[in-house]
């Protein structure tokens, strides 16, 4: 198993929603991951990830919520750049 897969396995072992929220938050902070990336790793939808880290996490662990919120703001500011790069790469591959 690759190193990345082993790291992902550490995050997917959760029981309750509270544990999942904390695991998601730690994953996002450690990897500076997007909501979409975190959803893929955990095998849940991006809507569920967003719900967990915005609403539920704030009640469970406010300090962790603050850290995740900072990363989400950075991701939000960079999303137009990521979209542009994806389009650029798409057309570059077609040539």
């Amino acid at each position: 198993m690759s190193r990345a897969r082993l790291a992902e396995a550490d995050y997917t072992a959760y029981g309750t929603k509270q544990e999942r929220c904390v695991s998601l938050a730690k994953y996002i902070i450690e990897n500076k991951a997007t909501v979409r990336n975190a959803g893929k790793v955990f095998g849940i939808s991006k809507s569920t990830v967003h719900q967990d880290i915005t609403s539920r996490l704030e009640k469970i662990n406010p300090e962790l919520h603050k850290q995740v919120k900072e990363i989400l703001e950075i991701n939000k500011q960079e999303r137009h750049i990521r979209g542009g790069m994806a389009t650029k790469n798409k057309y570059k591959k077609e040539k």
Side-chain angles (χ1 to χ4, degrees), residues 11-61:
Y11 294 107
T12 55
Y14 57 84
T16 65
K17 286 182 182 179
Q18 289 82 7
E19 291 170 348
R20 183 179 67 203
C21 292
V22 172
S23 294
L24 278 166
K26 288 179 181 178
Y27 178 79
I28 290 171
I29 292 167
E30 290 173 9
N31 298 291
K32 301 208 183 310
T34 62
V35 171
R36 191 173 293 219
N37 291 343
K40 286 180 184 176
V41 170
F42 282 78
I44 55 179
S45 71
K46 63 182 183 173
S47 300
T48 303
V49 173
H50 194 266
Q51 178 72 28
D52 282 353
I53 60 178
T54 55
S55 302
R56 293 185 182 117
L57 186 63
E58 189 172 18
K59 296 171 187 164
I60 297 167
N61 190 333

Side-chain angles (χ1 to χ4, degrees), residues 35 63 69:
V35 171
E63 183 59 37
K69 191 173 179 183

